[in-house]
Amino acid sequence: VTNGGKTTLAKKLKERLPNCDIISQDDFFKPESEVETDERGFKLYDVLDALYMEEMVKRVRSWMKSPAVSGVVMEEPQNTCDNVKNTDVYILIVEGFLLYNYEPLNELWNRRYFLTLPYEECKRRRSTRVYQPADTPGYFDGHVWPMYLKYKSELEENASNIVYLDGTKSQEELLSCVYSDIIQELKKLRE
């Protein structure tokens, strides 16, 4: 969901996890001139066609081939628990709003988390952000929220192994939940 805390959560996880890097879907938006406009004049940014998804898959696969040379920060994070210090496991966090609706990425995930927000909170948060280009009047209700509902519905019908997280919880609660899950996965890998 837009403004659900995806980027903030990813950055906080990176601060705590060893050998961790982030790829953000927002880095793959096409320029405004290449994004379609609907009959109401809304730029259709909340669809897969607004993104260079093939390039994103290439970047993820490239990272997977050589994580140690991908620019990952190798210093030990301050808050890492003892169970994962000095690990030779590399962690890639891929964050974005349409990750699980793009089939070529679905075969790559070890873990999947989906942040949700109720309509009013999502709209409130979105109204506090400044976008380039700026949201036009009615854009949230006419495009952003309907696309979120559409893609969320598709996930619920077609995808499995997704952990749904309540984005209204504090960042610390979300961080604790996801961090604990990742630590458990790392322990399994070390055994």
Side-chain angles (χ1 to χ4, degrees):
V1 69
T2 184
N3 293 280
K6 299 175 298 293
T7 303
T8 302
L9 179 60
K11 288 177 181 177
K12 287 182 182 243
L13 284 165
K14 183 177 178 176
E15 290 172 2
R16 288 188 162 196
L17 294 166
N19 305 332
C20 184
D21 203 1
I22 299 172
I23 293 177
S24 175
Q25 191 175 38
D26 285 353
D27 294 338
F28 296 89
F29 271 108
K30 292 177 179 177
E32 183 179 2
S33 62
E34 293 181 37
V35 176
E36 289 186 40
T37 304
D38 72 6
E39 66 281 352
R40 296 166 292 180
F42 294 145
K43 283 288 187 179
L44 303 179
Y45 280 104
D46 289 65
V47 297
L48 287 167
D49 287 341
L51 299 147
Y52 292 119
M53 292 303 295
E54 297 84 12
E55 294 300 316
M56 184 176 189
V57 172
K58 286 179 190 174
R59 174 104 46 96
V60 171
R61 289 189 186 280
S62 175
W63 186 96
M64 291 172 73
K65 286 180 188 172
S66 302
V69 295
S70 66
V72 66
V73 177
M74 300 304 291
E75 62 201 43
E76 193 67 49
Q78 297 283 332
N79 299 320
T80 300
C81 80
D82 291 337
N83 292 326
V84 295
K85 287 185 179 181
N86 303 316
T87 185
D88 59 352
V89 175
Y90 293 87
I91 300 164
L92 176 62
I93 298 169
V94 182
E95 66 91 13
F97 66 107
L98 289 175
L99 299 175
Y100 311 138
N101 300 86
Y102 190 68
E103 193 58 39
L105 285 173
N106 281 330
E107 65 192 56
L108 305 177
W109 310 128
N110 290 72
R111 290 283 194 254
R112 298 197 260 186
Y113 304 95
F114 189 89
L115 287 159
T116 63
L117 283 176
Y119 168 83
E120 288 299 331
E121 178 61 13
C122 187
K123 187 171 184 173
R124 184 193 68 74
R125 289 184 188 185
R126 178 87 180 202
S127 71
T128 65
R129 298 275 302 272
V130 177
Y131 290 93
Q132 285 299 326
D135 283 356
T136 57
Y139 187 67
F140 181 84
D141 288 319
H143 177 66
V144 175
W145 188 254
M147 289 295 96
Y148 163 69
L149 294 177
K150 174 185 185 265
Y151 286 118
K152 183 174 181 267
S153 176
E154 287 178 9
L155 285 182
E156 292 168 345
E157 290 177 25
N158 303 317
S160 59
N161 300 324
I162 295 177
V163 176
Y164 291 87
L165 300 170
D166 180 355
T168 62
K169 292 189 178 205
S170 73
Q171 276 294 320
E172 288 308 311
E173 287 177 285
L174 293 171
L175 177 62
S176 176
C177 175
V178 175
Y179 181 76
S180 297
D181 189 46
I182 292 170
I183 296 302
Q184 291 303 314
E185 182 71 10
L186 288 174
K187 285 179 187 177
K188 287 181 201 172
L189 289 172
R190 293 182 93 186
E191 293 173 353

